[in-house]
Amino acid sequence: MSKILITGATGNLGKSVIHNLLKVIKPGDLAVLGRNAEKLENLKIVGVDVRIGDYNDYDSLLQAFQGIDKLYFVSGNDMLNRSKQHENVVNAAKVAGIKHIVYTSFLCENETKTSPISFITEDHIITENWLKVSGMKYTILKHNLYMDMLPIFIGEKVLETGTIYLPAGEGKAAFTLREDLAEVAAHILTTEGHENKEYDLTADKAYSYDEIATIISNISGKIIRYYSPSNEEFTKTLTEAGVPEEYIELFAGFSLAIGNGELDKTNSLIEQLIGRKSTSVEEYLEEIYS
């Protein structure tokens, strides 16, 4: 059995991938990477190989990657330094002799600078290109927008306000559950035939915020309405409410991308890979708002 290393082991996605992997492989065949040993102690206790490293520290990555065959590379979330961090990971993996990298990228139908979320996609595109010319085998997992982000986008007080307020127009997004993506990753890491492939991982149905408002209304018994302001009004309203600028940019960017139809791609690939349908928005919202 080849040895697999999971980066981002203390994050939600990394934890879920580890949980799914330990159903099918021995703890000794799994290594995990994190910056804080204490947070990984529970994995060390059960026999998982815990390694300490930081995307900002090339030498720590080079040491941590020794003896690893497959690397599950969770993209970083430090937007200012992510490009350099990703370069460190790819270069260290190559020097360490890693044979195959599985990378978590992002699925957006507009990969040009005209996209309102180009600040998200740009580093992914660069990293994909580095992987393709690295000489290592690669699998690029293009994740659609996490369904788990819906309560954040909608707002924690939506049942009180009765309003979803986002500048997404009538656009739709195929929100995809993080847990489904983790299950796919575990499958790809433990089966053959995925080398040098790109997978568009998305749900089999796309939803507008108007449809989401109706679903939450039906679940909660409260009337929820969707209002789509202009981007200017949205930015002004949230600024006056004291929301930090970086969050406004994030909420507005994803909303405008949805409005442009950049995140509405659907397919049945998740079902093909793991043998069950991807989780629907109805199922997810039922757990949150019932």
Side-chain angles (χ1 to χ4, degrees), residues 28-85:
D29 292 327
L30 180 63
V32 297
L33 180 76
R35 291 174 295 182
N36 188 322
E38 289 182 12
K39 292 183 179 180
L40 298 169
E41 186 64 28
N42 62 318
L43 293 171
K44 188 175 183 179
I45 289 171
V46 300
V48 174
D49 182 358
V50 171
R51 304 186 180 195
I52 303 304
D54 189 315
Y55 284 1
N56 291 305
D57 184 346
Y58 172 85
D59 290 336
S60 74
L61 296 174
L62 186 58
Q63 183 175 351
F65 291 165
Q66 297 299 314
I68 299 301
D69 299 293
K70 287 185 180 180
L71 175 68
Y72 182 69
F73 174 14
V74 178
S75 56
N77 57 13
D78 179 350
M79 304 309 295
L80 291 176
N81 301 299
R82 185 161 69 170
S83 180
K84 179 59 180 174
Q85 290 175 343

Side-chain angles (χ1 to χ4, degrees), residues 77-284:
N77 57 13
D78 179 350
M79 304 309 295
L80 291 176
N81 301 299
R82 185 161 69 170
S83 180
K84 179 59 180 174
Q85 290 175 343
H86 285 193
E87 186 177 22
N88 285 341
V89 174
V90 174
N91 289 341
K94 184 173 182 178
V95 173
I98 285 175
K99 299 178 180 67
H100 186 179
I101 293 185
V102 178
Y103 173 62
T104 66
S105 190
F106 185 69
L107 178 61
C108 182
E109 295 192 64
N110 179 4
E111 293 189 340
T112 73
K113 289 186 179 295
T114 64
S115 171
I117 51 173
S118 62
F119 66 97
I120 298 285
T121 60
E122 196 169 28
D123 292 336
H124 287 300
I125 295 166
I126 292 169
T127 305
E128 289 177 17
N129 290 332
W130 284 334
L131 289 171
K132 290 173 182 177
V133 301
S134 70
M136 294 179 285
K137 294 174 183 175
Y138 63 85
T139 309
I140 295 169
L141 308 181
K142 290 177 171 284
H143 293 176
N144 207 333
L145 187 55
Y146 289 159
M147 195 179 293
D148 316 59
M149 294 293 290
L150 264 175
I152 297 171
F153 288 137
I154 291 168
E156 61 181 20
K157 295 183 179 180
V158 65
L159 296 182
E160 297 171 32
T161 64
T163 302
I164 296 175
Y165 181 79
L166 290 164
E170 298 177 3
K172 296 186 177 186
F175 297 97
T176 309
L177 192 67
R178 187 189 282 123
E179 174 60 33
D180 289 356
L181 297 169
E183 195 172 330
V184 168
H187 172 77
I188 285 172
L189 287 164
T190 54
T191 57
E192 299 300 322
H194 309 290
E195 296 83 2
N196 300 335
K197 290 186 177 179
E198 299 181 42
Y199 291 129
D200 290 347
L201 297 177
T202 184
D204 57 11
K205 183 179 178 181
Y207 297 78
S208 68
Y209 277 115
D210 196 45
E211 291 171 320
I212 289 168
T214 299
I215 293 167
I216 297 174
S217 297
N218 292 337
I219 292 169
S220 67
K222 298 182 179 180
I223 297 173
I224 310 296
R225 292 188 173 89
Y226 167 56
Y227 175 64
S228 178
S230 66
N231 186 42
E232 292 73 22
E233 180 190 329
F234 179 78
T235 300
K236 182 173 183 289
T237 301
L238 267 63
T239 301
E240 291 174 351
V243 177
E245 184 179 348
E246 59 267 29
Y247 287 110
I248 298 174
E249 182 182 12
L250 191 70
F251 294 155
F254 277 113
S255 296
L256 293 171
I258 290 171
N260 293 343
E262 297 177 24
L263 301 173
D264 62 1
K265 182 172 184 177
T266 60
N267 63 39
S268 59
L269 185 55
I270 290 175
E271 182 178 5
Q272 294 169 33
L273 289 168
I274 64 175
R276 66 169 177 82
K277 283 187 172 292
S278 57
T279 304
S280 71
V281 163
E282 287 93 342
E283 291 170 316
Y284 176 72

